C-alpha cells in the first residue's frame, strides 16, 4: 500500500505538468537539485576544514534546514495541489500505519526532499574522509531527509484543524514569522562571536550534535573519528525522533477521523455579538467619498487582514524579508540605500498583483460597471495603510540599531522615492500581469517570469540610483540626487496609475479573462 501511495504521489506530480507547465515542473526540480548541490558543496568544504568552527556551521545549517521544514506547514498553510489529501484517504479502508507510511514515502518523492538529501549528503565529497565516513554521510543524509519529511507532515496533520480557522492561521503565520526573525538575528549575532572563540564553538557543536537534526549531521564525522558508541547513540536519537513524529502523525490522523478535533460551533449570540463595519475604522478619516475607490480600499483591507491566508503571509513576510535584505546593507552601503532596498522589497510583496485576491469577485466588479481606475486607486490606498508606516518604522529602527541617527532623515527620503517607484511598477504589473493568487490561470511560468521581471526592474533602478549617487558624490550631494529621484518617482507613479486605470476602463475584458477558469 505504501508503494501504491508513492506511485500516486508521483502520478500527481506528473499530471500537474499539464496545469503548471513543463517549464515550471522542470525549473522546480532543477532549482531544488542545484540548491541541494550548492548546500552539499558548502557542507563538504566546511567538513574538510577539520575545525570546531566548520563543524559548528555545518550543524547550524542542518538545524536551520530542519526548522524550515518544521515551520513550513505553519508559514504556508495552503496545501499544494500535488499532495495527497489525507481527507480523501479516510474514505478507504486503510490502517493508520498504511496511511502514514504511504504518505511518508510519497513525501520523499519531491523536489524539496531531493534538495535536502543532496545537501545532507555533502560530506561524501569532503576531502580526506575515508570510506566509512562517506557511507555514514549517506546514511545520515537518508535519516535527516526522512526526519524532515516526517516532522513536516506530522505538524501539518496536527495543526490541520487550527490552520483551517482564520484566527488560527493568522496566529500561526505570526508565530512562524517571529521564529524566522529570531533565527536570522541569532545567526547574525551569535555566529561571529562563536567563530572568534574556538572553545565556545566546540561547546555549541557538542550540544547541537545531540539534537535530532544535529545528530544526523554529526553522524559522519563522529563515526569518522572512530567514536562508534557516539555514532550509534546519535543514530538512535534520530530514529527515536522519526518514530515520535510518525506516532504523532498517526494520532493526528486518528483524531481527525474520529472527529476529536472538531471546533465548537459558535452560539448565535456569540456569532452576532459584533458585526464588522463595511468600512474599516482605519479609513474613516480618509476623504475618499462613497464611491468605488472607498469600496475597493475597504475590500482590499478585508482581503489583506481577514479573508485571504496568502495575503496575510505577504503582509507579514514582506517586512521580514525587507529587514533581512536591508540589515545586510546598513554597515556596507549606508542607511539610505538600505532603506530603499527595504521599501522595494516590501513594495514587491504587496503591490505587484493588486487584483490577486479578488478571485472570481473580479467578475462581479466588472459587471457593476464601476470604474476600474477607481478600484485600482482604492487598492493602492489600502496597501498604503500598512506599507507606509511599516517602511518608516523599519527605516527608523535600522537607524537606531546601527547607531546612525543622523542618516535617518536622508534614509526616509530614499525610502519614499523607492516606495513610489514600487507603486509605479506595482500599478503597471497589476494591470499588465494580473492573476488569481489562489488558482492562477494560464502558464504559471510566464506569470512568474513577468512578476520577477517587475521586481528586478525595481531592484535595478534602486541599484542604479545608488551607483549614480556614489559616482556623483564629489560634485552632487546625496540629498540632491534623492530629491531628483523622488520627483521622478512621483511622476512615474502618477503616470502608471492613470495610464493603467484608463487601460482597465477601456479593456475590462482583459482583466476578466485573467480570472476566468480555462
Amino acid at each position: 500500500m505504501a508503494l501504491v501511495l508513492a506511485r500516486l504521489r508521483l502520478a500527481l506530480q506528473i499530471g500537474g505538468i499539464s496545469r503548471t507547465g513543463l517549464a515550471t515542473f522542470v525549473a522546480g526540480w532543477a532549482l531544488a537539485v542545484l540548491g541541494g548541490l550548492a548546500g552539499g558543496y558548502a557542507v563538504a568544504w566546511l567538513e574538510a576544514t577539520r575545525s570546531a568552527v566548520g563543524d559548528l556551521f555545518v550543524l547550524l545549517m542542518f538545524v536551520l534546514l530542519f526548522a524550515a521544514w518544521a515551520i513550513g506547514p505553519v508559514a504556508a498553510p495552503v496545501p499544494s495541489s500535488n499532495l495527497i489529501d489525507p481527507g480523501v484517504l479516510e474514505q478507504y479502508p486503510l490502517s493508520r500505519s498504511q496511511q502514514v507510511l504511504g504518505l511518508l514515502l510519497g513525501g520523499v518523492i519531491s523536489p524539496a526532499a531531493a534538495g535536502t538529501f543532496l545537501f545532507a549528503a555533502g560530506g561524501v565529497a569532503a576531502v580526506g574522509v575515508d570510506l566509512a565516513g562517506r557511507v555514514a554521510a549517506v546514511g545520515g543524509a537518508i535519516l535527516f531527509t526522512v526526519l524532515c519529511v516526517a516532522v513536516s507532515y506530522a505538524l501539518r496533520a496536527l495543526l490541520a484543524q487550527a490552520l483551517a480557522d482564520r484566527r488560527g492561521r493568522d496566529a500561526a503565520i505570526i508565530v512562524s514569522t517571529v521564529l524566522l526573525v529570531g533565527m536570522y538575528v541569532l545567526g547574525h549575532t551569535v555566529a561571529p562571536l562563536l567563530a572568534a572563540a574556538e572553545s565556545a564553538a566546540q561547546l555549541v557543536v557538542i550540544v547541537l550534535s545531540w539534537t535530532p537534526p544535529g545528530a544526523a549531521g554529526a553522524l559522519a564525522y563522529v563515526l569518522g573519528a572512530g567514536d562508534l558508541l557516539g555514532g550509534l547513540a546519535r543514530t538512535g536519537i534520530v530514529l527515536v525522533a522519526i518514530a515520535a513524529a510518525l506516532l504523532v502523525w498517526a494520532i493526528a490522523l486518528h483524531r481527525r477521523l474520529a472527529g476529536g478535533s472538531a471546533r465548537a460551533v459558535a452560539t448565535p449570540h456569540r456569532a452576532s455579538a459584533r458585526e464588522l463595519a463595511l468600512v474599516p475604522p482605519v479609513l474613516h478619516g480618509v476623504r475618499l467619498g462613497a464611491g468605488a475607490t472607498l469600496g475597493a480600499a475597504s475590500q482590499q483591507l478585508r482581503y489583506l487582514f481577514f479573508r485571504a491566508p496568502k495575503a496575510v503571509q505577504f503582509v507579514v513576510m514582506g517586512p521580514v524579508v525587507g529587514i533581512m535584505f536591508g540589515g545586510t546593507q546598513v554597515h556596507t552601503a549606508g542607511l539610505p540605500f538600505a532603506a530603499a532596498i527595504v521599501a522595494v522589497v516590501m513594495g514587491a510583496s504587496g503591490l505587484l498583483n493588486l487584483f490577486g485576491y479578488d478571485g472570481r469577485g473580479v467578475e462581479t466588479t466588472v459587471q457593476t460597471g464601476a470604474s476600474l481606475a477607481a478600484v485600482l486607486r482604492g487598492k493602492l490606498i489600502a496597501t498604503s495603510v500598512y506599507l507606509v508606516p511599516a517602511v518608516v518604522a523599519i527605516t527608523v529602527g535600522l537607524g537606531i540599531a546601527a547607531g546612525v541617527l543622523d542618516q535617518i532623515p536622508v534614509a526616509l527620503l530614499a525610502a519614499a522615492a523607492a516606495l513610489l517607484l514600487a507603486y509605479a511598477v506595482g500599478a503597471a504589473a497589476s494591470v499588465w500581469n494580473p492573476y488569481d493568487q489562489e488558482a492562477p490561470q494560464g502558464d504559471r511560468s510566464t506569470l512568474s517570469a513577468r512578476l520577477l521581471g517587475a521586481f528586478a526592474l525595481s531592484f535595478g533602478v534602486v541599484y542604479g540610483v545608488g551607483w549614480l549617487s556614489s559616482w556623483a558624490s564629489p560634485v552632487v550631494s546625496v540629498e540632491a540626487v534623492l530629491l531628483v529621484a523622488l520627483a521622478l518617482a512621483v511622476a512615474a507613479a502618477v503616470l502608471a496609475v492613470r495610464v493603467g486605470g484608463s487601460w482597465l476602463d477601456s479593456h475590462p475584458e482583459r482583466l476578466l479573462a485573467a480570472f476566468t477558469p480555462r
Side-chain angles (χ1 to χ4, degrees), residues 253-483:
L253 291 177
H254 176 72
R255 290 184 59 205
R256 177 171 175 172
L257 179 62
S261 59
R263 288 181 299 165
V265 179
T267 62
H269 173 74
R270 181 179 179 182
S272 60
R274 181 169 58 93
E275 295 182 1
L276 291 175
L278 292 178
V279 179
V282 71
L283 294 178
H284 286 177
V286 183
R287 297 181 179 180
L288 299 177
T293 301
L294 179 61
S298 303
Q299 182 189 54
Q300 189 75 0
L301 285 175
R302 297 290 182 206
Y303 289 145
L304 293 175
F305 295 99
F306 291 98
R307 296 179 182 174
K310 282 192 175 182
V312 177
Q313 289 178 252
F314 280 105
V315 169
V316 176
M317 294 303 295
V320 174
V321 178
I323 292 173
M324 291 181 178
F325 272 84
T328 59
Q329 302 291 332
V330 173
H331 296 289
T332 57
L335 182 61
F337 183 75
I341 293 296
V342 170
V344 166
V345 171
M346 292 184 61
S349 69
L351 296 169
L352 291 181
N353 187 23
L354 292 168
F355 293 93
Y357 307 111
D358 288 64
R360 297 301 301 274
V362 168
E363 183 177 354
T364 303
T365 302
V366 173
Q367 289 175 350
T368 61
S371 170
L372 293 178
V375 172
L376 178 63
R377 290 194 298 270
K379 290 180 177 295
L380 288 169
I381 291 171
T383 308
S384 303
V385 168
Y386 79 91
L387 193 58
V388 173
V391 170
V392 172
I394 292 174
T395 300
V396 174
L398 287 176
I400 295 174
V404 287
L405 299 179
D406 58 315
Q407 297 184 19
I408 290 179
V410 180
L412 290 174
L413 182 63
L419 192 56
L420 285 168
L421 171 66
Y423 275 95
V425 175
S430 298
V431 173
W432 173 52
N433 188 45
Y435 63 91
D436 191 340
Q437 192 74 41
E438 299 291 342
Q441 306 297 321
D443 187 3
R444 295 193 182 191
S445 59
T446 302
L447 297 174
S448 300
R450 291 175 179 174
L451 195 69
L452 291 175
F455 177 66
L457 175 63
S458 302
F459 232 71
V461 171
V462 168
Y463 269 90
V465 173
W467 175 84
L468 179 63
S469 177
S470 300
W471 178 76
S473 58
V475 293
V476 181
S477 65
V478 175
E479 292 82 356
V481 174
L482 290 178
L483 285 173

Side-chain angles (χ1 to χ4, degrees), residues 78-92:
V78 179
S80 176
S81 58
N82 64 354
L83 294 178
I84 304 172
D85 185 6
V88 176
L89 295 182
E90 293 170 0
Q91 304 173 20
Y92 297 94

Side-chain angles (χ1 to χ4, degrees), residues 14 29 33 41 89 126 170 192 208 320 374 428 451:
I14 296 175
W29 276 93
V33 171
Y41 174 80
L89 295 182
D170 294 350
L208 290 179
V320 174
L451 195 69

Side-chain angles (χ1 to χ4, degrees), residues 117-139:
F117 173 78
L118 291 174
F119 158 79
V124 175
V127 177
V129 178
D130 57 9
L131 180 60
R134 300 184 194 279
V135 173
V138 174

